[in-house]
Every structure is written in C-alpha cells, then in structure tokens.
PDB file of all heavy atoms in Angstrom:
ATOM      1  N   LEU A   3     110.578 115.802  97.486  1.00 95.00           N
ATOM      2  CA  LEU A   3     110.133 116.973  96.736  1.00 95.00           C
ATOM      3  C   LEU A   3     110.690 118.236  97.423  1.00 95.00           C
ATOM      4  O   LEU A   3     111.153 119.171  96.679  1.00 95.00           O
ATOM      5  CB  LEU A   3     108.614 117.022  96.680  1.00 95.00           C
ATOM      6  CG  LEU A   3     108.007 118.204  95.912  1.00 95.00           C
ATOM      7  CD1 LEU A   3     108.499 118.192  94.473  1.00 95.00           C
ATOM      8  CD2 LEU A   3     106.476 118.108  95.963  1.00 95.00           C
ATOM      9  N   ALA A   4     110.694 118.296  98.720  1.00 96.00           N
ATOM     10  CA  ALA A   4     111.237 119.467  99.412  1.00 96.00           C
ATOM     11  C   ALA A   4     112.742 119.629  99.055  1.00 96.00           C
ATOM     12  O   ALA A   4     113.201 120.720  98.828  1.00 96.00           O
ATOM     13  CB  ALA A   4     111.085 119.321 100.945  1.00 96.00           C
ATOM     14  N   GLY A   5     113.503 118.494  99.027  1.00 96.00           N
ATOM     15  CA  GLY A   5     114.891 118.542  98.634  1.00 96.00           C
ATOM     16  C   GLY A   5     115.110 119.079  97.225  1.00 96.00           C
ATOM     17  O   GLY A   5     116.131 119.736  96.928  1.00 96.00           O
ATOM     18  N   VAL A   6     114.152 118.836  96.370  1.00 96.00           N
ATOM     19  CA  VAL A   6     114.206 119.359  94.996  1.00 96.00           C
ATOM     20  C   VAL A   6     113.841 120.833  94.961  1.00 96.00           C
ATOM     21  O   VAL A   6     114.568 121.657  94.408  1.00 96.00           O
ATOM     22  CB  VAL A   6     113.234 118.523  94.066  1.00 96.00           C
ATOM     23  CG1 VAL A   6     112.950 119.261  92.771  1.00 96.00           C
ATOM     24  CG2 VAL A   6     113.789 117.150  93.780  1.00 96.00           C
ATOM     25  N   LEU A   7     112.750 121.166  95.612  1.00 96.00           N
ATOM     26  CA  LEU A   7     112.249 122.565  95.538  1.00 96.00           C
ATOM     27  C   LEU A   7     113.119 123.559  96.252  1.00 96.00           C
ATOM     28  O   LEU A   7     113.149 124.736  95.870  1.00 96.00           O
ATOM     29  CB  LEU A   7     110.816 122.594  96.095  1.00 96.00           C
ATOM     30  CG  LEU A   7     109.756 121.809  95.308  1.00 96.00           C
ATOM     31  CD1 LEU A   7     108.389 121.970  95.960  1.00 96.00           C
ATOM     32  CD2 LEU A   7     109.716 122.221  93.869  1.00 96.00           C
ATOM     33  N   ILE A   8     113.845 123.156  97.274  1.00 96.00           N
ATOM     34  CA  ILE A   8     114.681 124.111  98.006  1.00 96.00           C
ATOM     35  C   ILE A   8     115.772 124.645  97.088  1.00 96.00           C
ATOM     36  O   ILE A   8     116.288 125.755  97.338  1.00 96.00           O
ATOM     37  CB  ILE A   8     115.271 123.495  99.310  1.00 96.00           C
ATOM     38  CG1 ILE A   8     115.717 124.584 100.239  1.00 96.00           C
ATOM     39  CG2 ILE A   8     116.379 122.485  98.961  1.00 96.00           C
ATOM     40  CD1 ILE A   8     115.884 124.186 101.682  1.00 96.00           C
ATOM     41  N   MET A   9     116.084 123.960  96.037  1.00 95.00           N
ATOM     42  CA  MET A   9     117.131 124.434  95.083  1.00 95.00           C
ATOM     43  C   MET A   9     116.553 125.431  94.082  1.00 95.00           C
ATOM     44  O   MET A   9     117.280 125.986  93.270  1.00 95.00           O
ATOM     45  CB  MET A   9     117.765 123.217  94.399  1.00 95.00           C
ATOM     46  CG  MET A   9     118.502 122.265  95.318  1.00 95.00           C
ATOM     47  SD  MET A   9     119.837 123.053  96.215  1.00 95.00           S
ATOM     48  CE  MET A   9     120.951 123.551  94.906  1.00 95.00           C
ATOM     49  N   GLU A  10     115.228 125.646  94.151  1.00 94.00           N
ATOM     50  CA  GLU A  10     114.545 126.596  93.260  1.00 94.00           C
ATOM     51  C   GLU A  10     114.848 126.404  91.768  1.00 94.00           C
ATOM     52  O   GLU A  10     115.211 127.364  91.050  1.00 94.00           O
ATOM     53  CB  GLU A  10     114.819 128.006  93.699  1.00 94.00           C
ATOM     54  CG  GLU A  10     114.340 128.305  95.119  1.00 94.00           C
ATOM     55  CD  GLU A  10     114.555 129.748  95.536  1.00 94.00           C
ATOM     56  OE1 GLU A  10     115.566 130.404  95.147  1.00 94.00           O
ATOM     57  OE2 GLU A  10     113.625 130.225  96.228  1.00 94.00           O
ATOM     58  N   PRO A  11     114.678 125.151  91.277  1.00 96.00           N
ATOM     59  CA  PRO A  11     114.959 124.935  89.842  1.00 96.00           C
ATOM     60  C   PRO A  11     113.885 125.562  88.966  1.00 96.00           C
ATOM     61  O   PRO A  11     112.725 125.706  89.424  1.00 96.00           O
ATOM     62  CB  PRO A  11     114.905 123.417  89.750  1.00 96.00           C
ATOM     63  CG  PRO A  11     113.945 122.990  90.830  1.00 96.00           C
ATOM     64  CD  PRO A  11     114.193 123.977  91.957  1.00 96.00           C
ATOM     65  N   GLU A  12     114.252 125.900  87.789  1.00 96.00           N
ATOM     66  CA  GLU A  12     113.275 126.447  86.825  1.00 96.00           C
ATOM     67  C   GLU A  12     112.553 125.309  86.089  1.00 96.00           C
ATOM     68  O   GLU A  12     111.387 125.481  85.733  1.00 96.00           O
ATOM     69  CB  GLU A  12     113.972 127.330  85.775  1.00 96.00           C
ATOM     70  CG  GLU A  12     114.468 128.644  86.352  1.00 96.00           C
ATOM     71  CD  GLU A  12     113.388 129.491  86.927  1.00 96.00           C
ATOM     72  OE1 GLU A  12     112.334 129.645  86.308  1.00 96.00           O
ATOM     73  OE2 GLU A  12     113.567 129.968  88.081  1.00 96.00           O
ATOM     74  N   ILE A  13     113.215 124.200  85.913  1.00 97.00           N
ATOM     75  CA  ILE A  13     112.602 123.026  85.249  1.00 97.00           C
ATOM     76  C   ILE A  13     112.673 121.836  86.224  1.00 97.00           C
ATOM     77  O   ILE A  13     113.736 121.551  86.815  1.00 97.00           O
ATOM     78  CB  ILE A  13     113.379 122.680  83.982  1.00 97.00           C
ATOM     79  CG1 ILE A  13     113.386 123.847  82.999  1.00 97.00           C
ATOM     80  CG2 ILE A  13     112.774 121.462  83.308  1.00 97.00           C
ATOM     81  CD1 ILE A  13     114.336 123.683  81.838  1.00 97.00           C
ATOM     82  N   ILE A  14     111.513 121.179  86.407  1.00 97.00           N
ATOM     83  CA  ILE A  14     111.464 120.048  87.306  1.00 97.00           C
ATOM     84  C   ILE A  14     110.943 118.849  86.543  1.00 97.00           C
ATOM     85  O   ILE A  14     109.894 118.902  85.949  1.00 97.00           O
ATOM     86  CB  ILE A  14     110.531 120.350  88.522  1.00 97.00           C
ATOM     87  CG1 ILE A  14     111.019 121.627  89.209  1.00 97.00           C
ATOM     88  CG2 ILE A  14     110.505 119.168  89.473  1.00 97.00           C
ATOM     89  CD1 ILE A  14     110.044 122.189  90.197  1.00 97.00           C
ATOM     90  N   PHE A  15     111.701 117.774  86.579  1.00 97.00           N
ATOM     91  CA  PHE A  15     111.308 116.472  85.987  1.00 97.00           C
ATOM     92  C   PHE A  15     110.766 115.587  87.070  1.00 97.00           C
ATOM     93  O   PHE A  15     111.373 115.425  88.134  1.00 97.00           O
ATOM     94  CB  PHE A  15     112.514 115.827  85.314  1.00 97.00           C
ATOM     95  CG  PHE A  15     113.049 116.576  84.135  1.00 97.00           C
ATOM     96  CD1 PHE A  15     114.008 117.536  84.321  1.00 97.00           C
ATOM     97  CD2 PHE A  15     112.563 116.312  82.881  1.00 97.00           C
ATOM     98  CE1 PHE A  15     114.502 118.220  83.246  1.00 97.00           C
ATOM     99  CE2 PHE A  15     113.030 117.004  81.785  1.00 97.00           C
ATOM    100  CZ  PHE A  15     114.029 117.975  81.953  1.00 97.00           C
ATOM    101  N   LEU A  16     109.588 114.992  86.855  1.00 97.00           N
ATOM    102  CA  LEU A  16     109.024 114.086  87.832  1.00 97.00           C
ATOM    103  C   LEU A  16     108.660 112.756  87.171  1.00 97.00           C
ATOM    104  O   LEU A  16     108.054 112.741  86.109  1.00 97.00           O
ATOM    105  CB  LEU A  16     107.716 114.680  88.402  1.00 97.00           C
ATOM    106  CG  LEU A  16     107.880 115.975  89.211  1.00 97.00           C
ATOM    107  CD1 LEU A  16     107.450 117.172  88.352  1.00 97.00           C
ATOM    108  CD2 LEU A  16     107.104 115.952  90.457  1.00 97.00           C
ATOM    109  N   ASP A  17     109.081 111.679  87.820  1.00 97.00           N
ATOM    110  CA  ASP A  17     108.828 110.331  87.274  1.00 97.00           C
ATOM    111  C   ASP A  17     107.678 109.736  88.076  1.00 97.00           C
ATOM    112  O   ASP A  17     107.851 109.460  89.287  1.00 97.00           O
ATOM    113  CB  ASP A  17     110.051 109.496  87.389  1.00 97.00           C
ATOM    114  CG  ASP A  17     109.919 108.106  86.757  1.00 97.00           C
ATOM    115  OD1 ASP A  17     108.895 107.857  86.098  1.00 97.00           O
ATOM    116  OD2 ASP A  17     110.867 107.315  86.847  1.00 97.00           O
ATOM    117  N   GLU A  18     106.547 109.506  87.463  1.00 96.00           N
ATOM    118  CA  GLU A  18     105.347 108.928  88.124  1.00 96.00           C
ATOM    119  C   GLU A  18     105.077 109.579  89.482  1.00 96.00           C
ATOM    120  O   GLU A  18     105.092 108.860  90.526  1.00 96.00           O
ATOM    121  CB  GLU A  18     105.502 107.418  88.253  1.00 96.00           C
ATOM    122  CG  GLU A  18     105.579 106.661  86.958  1.00 96.00           C
ATOM    123  CD  GLU A  18     104.294 106.596  86.154  1.00 96.00           C
ATOM    124  OE1 GLU A  18     103.253 107.081  86.624  1.00 96.00           O
ATOM    125  OE2 GLU A  18     104.352 106.101  85.010  1.00 96.00           O
ATOM    126  N   PRO A  19     104.824 110.879  89.507  1.00 94.00           N
ATOM    127  CA  PRO A  19     104.715 111.562  90.811  1.00 94.00           C
ATOM    128  C   PRO A  19     103.534 111.073  91.679  1.00 94.00           C
ATOM    129  O   PRO A  19     103.631 111.287  92.918  1.00 94.00           O
ATOM    130  CB  PRO A  19     104.513 113.037  90.428  1.00 94.00           C
ATOM    131  CG  PRO A  19     103.963 112.965  89.048  1.00 94.00           C
ATOM    132  CD  PRO A  19     104.578 111.754  88.402  1.00 94.00           C
ATOM    133  N   LEU A  20     102.532 110.491  91.132  1.00 94.00           N
ATOM    134  CA  LEU A  20     101.371 110.090  91.952  1.00 94.00           C
ATOM    135  C   LEU A  20     101.441 108.598  92.353  1.00 94.00           C
ATOM    136  O   LEU A  20     100.560 108.102  93.061  1.00 94.00           O
ATOM    137  CB  LEU A  20     100.061 110.362  91.266  1.00 94.00           C
ATOM    138  CG  LEU A  20      99.775 111.827  90.807  1.00 94.00           C
ATOM    139  CD1 LEU A  20      98.439 111.975  90.194  1.00 94.00           C
ATOM    140  CD2 LEU A  20      99.978 112.769  92.007  1.00 94.00           C
ATOM    141  N   ALA A  21     102.503 107.908  91.884  1.00 91.00           N
ATOM    142  CA  ALA A  21     102.571 106.471  92.141  1.00 91.00           C
ATOM    143  C   ALA A  21     102.554 106.181  93.675  1.00 91.00           C
ATOM    144  O   ALA A  21     103.265 106.849  94.420  1.00 91.00           O
ATOM    145  CB  ALA A  21     103.867 105.900  91.546  1.00 91.00           C
ATOM    146  N   PHE A  22     101.717 105.309  94.057  1.00 87.00           N
ATOM    147  CA  PHE A  22     101.601 104.803  95.430  1.00 87.00           C
ATOM    148  C   PHE A  22     101.085 105.826  96.432  1.00 87.00           C
ATOM    149  O   PHE A  22     101.177 105.621  97.647  1.00 87.00           O
ATOM    150  CB  PHE A  22     102.930 104.185  95.894  1.00 87.00           C
ATOM    151  CG  PHE A  22     103.450 103.129  95.021  1.00 87.00           C
ATOM    152  CD1 PHE A  22     104.599 103.369  94.274  1.00 87.00           C
ATOM    153  CD2 PHE A  22     102.776 101.923  94.847  1.00 87.00           C
ATOM    154  CE1 PHE A  22     105.101 102.383  93.456  1.00 87.00           C
ATOM    155  CE2 PHE A  22     103.280 100.956  94.033  1.00 87.00           C
ATOM    156  CZ  PHE A  22     104.422 101.199  93.298  1.00 87.00           C
ATOM    157  N   LEU A  23     100.557 106.959  95.953  1.00 89.00           N
ATOM    158  CA  LEU A  23     100.009 107.946  96.884  1.00 89.00           C
ATOM    159  C   LEU A  23      98.525 107.697  97.050  1.00 89.00           C
ATOM    160  O   LEU A  23      97.833 107.323  96.102  1.00 89.00           O
ATOM    161  CB  LEU A  23     100.241 109.372  96.391  1.00 89.00           C
ATOM    162  CG  LEU A  23     101.676 109.861  96.313  1.00 89.00           C
ATOM    163  CD1 LEU A  23     101.709 111.292  95.733  1.00 89.00           C
ATOM    164  CD2 LEU A  23     102.343 109.808  97.682  1.00 89.00           C
ATOM    165  N   ASP A  24      98.004 107.956  98.243  1.00 89.00           N
ATOM    166  CA  ASP A  24      96.570 107.854  98.491  1.00 89.00           C
ATOM    167  C   ASP A  24      95.892 109.093  97.845  1.00 89.00           C
ATOM    168  O   ASP A  24      96.579 109.997  97.390  1.00 89.00           O
ATOM    169  CB  ASP A  24      96.256 107.703  99.969  1.00 89.00           C
ATOM    170  CG  ASP A  24      96.716 108.935 100.812  1.00 89.00           C
ATOM    171  OD1 ASP A  24      96.937 109.999 100.230  1.00 89.00           O
ATOM    172  OD2 ASP A  24      96.804 108.777 102.005  1.00 89.00           O
ATOM    173  N   PRO A  25      94.551 109.066  97.754  1.00 91.00           N
ATOM    174  CA  PRO A  25      93.878 110.191  97.085  1.00 91.00           C
ATOM    175  C   PRO A  25      94.230 111.558  97.688  1.00 91.00           C
ATOM    176  O   PRO A  25      94.429 112.526  96.945  1.00 91.00           O
ATOM    177  CB  PRO A  25      92.383 109.881  97.283  1.00 91.00           C
ATOM    178  CG  PRO A  25      92.345 108.397  97.365  1.00 91.00           C
ATOM    179  CD  PRO A  25      93.645 107.991  98.106  1.00 91.00           C
ATOM    180  N   LEU A  26      94.309 111.681  99.004  1.00 89.00           N
ATOM    181  CA  LEU A  26      94.631 112.950  99.611  1.00 89.00           C
ATOM    182  C   LEU A  26      96.070 113.369  99.279  1.00 89.00           C
ATOM    183  O   LEU A  26      96.355 114.540  98.916  1.00 89.00           O
ATOM    184  CB  LEU A  26      94.453 112.910 101.143  1.00 89.00           C
ATOM    185  CG  LEU A  26      94.726 114.213 101.886  1.00 89.00           C
ATOM    186  CD1 LEU A  26      93.877 115.334 101.372  1.00 89.00           C
ATOM    187  CD2 LEU A  26      94.560 114.013 103.385  1.00 89.00           C
ATOM    188  N   GLY A  27      97.019 112.404  99.317  1.00 87.00           N
ATOM    189  CA  GLY A  27      98.379 112.704  98.974  1.00 87.00           C
ATOM    190  C   GLY A  27      98.535 113.097  97.498  1.00 87.00           C
ATOM    191  O   GLY A  27      99.280 114.017  97.134  1.00 87.00           O
ATOM    192  N   SER A  28      97.709 112.478  96.637  1.00 91.00           N
ATOM    193  CA  SER A  28      97.732 112.840  95.206  1.00 91.00           C
ATOM    194  C   SER A  28      97.236 114.252  94.975  1.00 91.00           C
ATOM    195  O   SER A  28      97.817 115.064  94.298  1.00 91.00           O
ATOM    196  CB  SER A  28      96.851 111.867  94.372  1.00 91.00           C
ATOM    197  OG  SER A  28      97.435 110.567  94.411  1.00 91.00           O
ATOM    198  N   GLN A  29      96.103 114.588  95.678  1.00 92.00           N
ATOM    199  CA  GLN A  29      95.528 115.911  95.561  1.00 92.00           C
ATOM    200  C   GLN A  29      96.491 116.960  96.053  1.00 92.00           C
ATOM    201  O   GLN A  29      96.639 118.045  95.453  1.00 92.00           O
ATOM    202  CB  GLN A  29      94.177 115.993  96.290  1.00 92.00           C
ATOM    203  CG  GLN A  29      93.473 117.283  96.103  1.00 92.00           C
ATOM    204  CD  GLN A  29      93.190 117.608  94.622  1.00 92.00           C
ATOM    205  OE1 GLN A  29      92.806 116.739  93.853  1.00 92.00           O
ATOM    206  NE2 GLN A  29      93.429 118.831  94.195  1.00 92.00           N
ATOM    207  N   THR A  30      97.137 116.692  97.163  1.00 89.00           N
ATOM    208  CA  THR A  30      98.123 117.612  97.713  1.00 89.00           C
ATOM    209  C   THR A  30      99.246 117.885  96.727  1.00 89.00           C
ATOM    210  O   THR A  30      99.651 119.045  96.495  1.00 89.00           O
ATOM    211  CB  THR A  30      98.672 117.073  99.065  1.00 89.00           C
ATOM    212  OG1 THR A  30      97.606 116.993 100.001  1.00 89.00           O
ATOM    213  CG2 THR A  30      99.732 118.055  99.663  1.00 89.00           C
ATOM    214  N   LEU A  31      99.762 116.812  96.156  1.00 91.00           N
ATOM    215  CA  LEU A  31     100.834 116.965  95.174  1.00 91.00           C
ATOM    216  C   LEU A  31     100.400 117.767  93.963  1.00 91.00           C
ATOM    217  O   LEU A  31     101.126 118.606  93.465  1.00 91.00           O
ATOM    218  CB  LEU A  31     101.417 115.608  94.803  1.00 91.00           C
ATOM    219  CG  LEU A  31     102.640 115.676  93.880  1.00 91.00           C
ATOM    220  CD1 LEU A  31     103.797 116.405  94.550  1.00 91.00           C
ATOM    221  CD2 LEU A  31     103.091 114.277  93.480  1.00 91.00           C
ATOM    222  N   ILE A  32      99.216 117.463  93.454  1.00 93.00           N
ATOM    223  CA  ILE A  32      98.660 118.192  92.322  1.00 93.00           C
ATOM    224  C   ILE A  32      98.542 119.684  92.660  1.00 93.00           C
ATOM    225  O   ILE A  32      98.876 120.559  91.818  1.00 93.00           O
ATOM    226  CB  ILE A  32      97.312 117.597  91.865  1.00 93.00           C
ATOM    227  CG1 ILE A  32      97.603 116.237  91.215  1.00 93.00           C
ATOM    228  CG2 ILE A  32      96.607 118.539  90.904  1.00 93.00           C
ATOM    229  CD1 ILE A  32      96.338 115.437  90.962  1.00 93.00           C
ATOM    230  N   GLU A  33      98.095 120.002  93.853  1.00 93.00           N
ATOM    231  CA  GLU A  33      97.987 121.429  94.256  1.00 93.00           C
ATOM    232  C   GLU A  33      99.398 122.088  94.283  1.00 93.00           C
ATOM    233  O   GLU A  33      99.529 123.255  93.866  1.00 93.00           O
ATOM    234  CB  GLU A  33      97.350 121.549  95.642  1.00 93.00           C
ATOM    235  CG  GLU A  33      95.857 121.237  95.604  1.00 93.00           C
ATOM    236  CD  GLU A  33      95.238 121.061  96.975  1.00 93.00           C
ATOM    237  OE1 GLU A  33      95.918 121.254  98.011  1.00 93.00           O
ATOM    238  OE2 GLU A  33      94.065 120.675  97.020  1.00 93.00           O
ATOM    239  N   ILE A  34     100.375 121.352  94.734  1.00 92.00           N
ATOM    240  CA  ILE A  34     101.754 121.895  94.697  1.00 92.00           C
ATOM    241  C   ILE A  34     102.235 122.095  93.267  1.00 92.00           C
ATOM    242  O   ILE A  34     102.833 123.113  92.953  1.00 92.00           O
ATOM    243  CB  ILE A  34     102.669 120.955  95.504  1.00 92.00           C
ATOM    244  CG1 ILE A  34     102.324 121.011  96.972  1.00 92.00           C
ATOM    245  CG2 ILE A  34     104.151 121.340  95.303  1.00 92.00           C
ATOM    246  CD1 ILE A  34     102.951 119.900  97.833  1.00 92.00           C
ATOM    247  N   LEU A  35     101.971 121.131  92.395  1.00 94.00           N
ATOM    248  CA  LEU A  35     102.336 121.284  90.994  1.00 94.00           C
ATOM    249  C   LEU A  35     101.641 122.498  90.372  1.00 94.00           C
ATOM    250  O   LEU A  35     102.256 123.286  89.613  1.00 94.00           O
ATOM    251  CB  LEU A  35     102.010 120.004  90.210  1.00 94.00           C
ATOM    252  CG  LEU A  35     102.766 118.788  90.627  1.00 94.00           C
ATOM    253  CD1 LEU A  35     102.299 117.567  89.795  1.00 94.00           C
ATOM    254  CD2 LEU A  35     104.276 118.975  90.388  1.00 94.00           C
TER     255      LEU A  35
END
C-alpha cells in the first residue's frame, strides 16, 4: 500500500483489501481508506 500511495494516485483500485488481515489490521486499513 505504501508503494501505491507514494505515487499519489487520484484513483486507487484494491482487490480484496481486507483478505487475511486480523481485526486490528482490517481496522487500520479502513482508517487509511
């Protein structure tokens, strides 16, 4: 995700972003989204 965000895209496509993440990892990713 850092490799994607450093390019500062306007549109971001994510494929199953919460797959295999624990609850804390999922919550962190949702906060970033």
Side-chain angles (χ1 to χ4, degrees):
L3 182 58
V6 163
L7 296 180
I8 200 161
M9 297 301 296
E10 298 184 323
E12 290 300 314
I13 302 171
I14 304 168
F15 294 89
L16 298 102
D17 186 5
E18 296 290 355
L20 303 183
F22 306 112
L23 293 180
D24 62 18
L26 182 58
S28 294
Q29 185 58 43
T30 299
L31 185 61
I32 290 169
E33 289 169 4
I34 292 166
L35 295 176

